[in-house]
Amino acid sequence: MIAVLLATLALGAVSAVSPVTPVEPYLVALTATTSYHPLPLGIAAALGQTGPKVAMFLATRGVIRSPRLNQWLAKRTATRPTVDGRPRPGRVRRAAASLAARLPQGLRGRLKVWFGWVAREHRRLYEPAFLVPTLFASAVFGIPPLLVTTVLAGGTKVRAVVFAVVCFVGRSIRFAALAMMPGLFLN
């Protein structure tokens, strides 16, 4: 049983970083063809997936907070003074202003309202009160994909311990439920 749990843990770790090797079919096939209890297998797979997901979370957090990236972004989005003293917008803002100038006035006003709403909602994504339930749903149901949610969570104020616990509990529920499925139909 120990070897099977270790193999499940290892396959869970591989499937956490490689979407082309899912652990779910392995769990279903293993519990359908053997007499191993599905709960420890589900927990082993969840533990195997949680470790690499936490590593991705911390790596994303490190990249987002890196001074080099922040300098690069500031250089491309900040306003810079010109020779005559007026501020000159960065490349991104110049491109957006050029595009906006070509739009009809009515459409420009509607888009401004819409982009304001999108910006407000986007800020809400980074609040832990909104992100933790989204992360849990992602871990249990896979919608949105946990890989995407992991990267998104790396840029938020969510603590790594909270991320790890939510990810582990959600994945444990998912994998244990999937591992129990063959028992419902074969008995």
Side-chain angles (χ1 to χ4, degrees):
M1 177 72 178
I2 301 278
V4 172
L5 289 175
L6 289 175
T8 304
L9 185 115
L11 187 61
V14 168
S15 73
V17 295
S18 173
V20 296
T21 55
V23 73
E24 290 90 344
Y26 169 78
L27 286 172
V28 171
L30 187 64
T31 56
T33 58
T34 64
S35 61
Y36 294 126
H37 195 274
L39 188 61
L41 293 173
I43 291 173
L47 188 60
Q49 275 218 343
T50 302
K53 294 293 183 192
V54 170
M56 280 186 235
F57 171 83
L58 293 172
T60 303
R61 179 162 285 175
V63 167
I64 288 174
R65 293 182 179 172
S66 75
R68 186 173 258 174
L69 176 67
N70 289 328
Q71 288 172 354
W72 184 82
L73 285 172
K75 186 173 154 183
R76 277 153 183 77
T77 58
T79 58
R80 294 176 293 227
T82 59
V83 178
D84 60 356
R86 291 184 308 161
R88 178 176 170 238
R91 283 186 224 160
V92 174
R93 292 187 186 194
R94 281 196 316 264
S98 171
L99 179 65
R102 295 180 191 151
L103 297 174
Q105 185 63 32
L107 180 59
R108 199 178 316 164
R110 287 188 196 127
L111 285 175
K112 188 174 182 179
V113 170
W114 186 78
F115 280 121
W117 176 81
V118 168
R120 283 190 306 276
E121 295 303 313
H122 183 262
R123 281 191 296 273
R124 283 186 49 197
L125 277 177
Y126 290 94
E127 296 173 8
F130 183 76
L131 184 71
V132 170
T134 304
L135 177 64
F136 184 73
S138 178
V140 174
F141 303 114
I143 299 172
L146 187 58
L147 183 63
V148 173
T149 312
T150 299
V151 173
L152 176 72
T156 66
K157 296 177 185 175
V158 173
R159 294 186 345 202
V161 173
V162 172
F163 174 82
V165 167
V166 170
C167 185
F168 176 71
V169 169
R171 283 291 159 168
S172 294
I173 291 169
R174 176 186 177 94
F175 294 145
L178 283 171
M180 289 179 190
M181 287 297 160
L184 297 174
F185 296 108
L186 295 177
N187 290 337

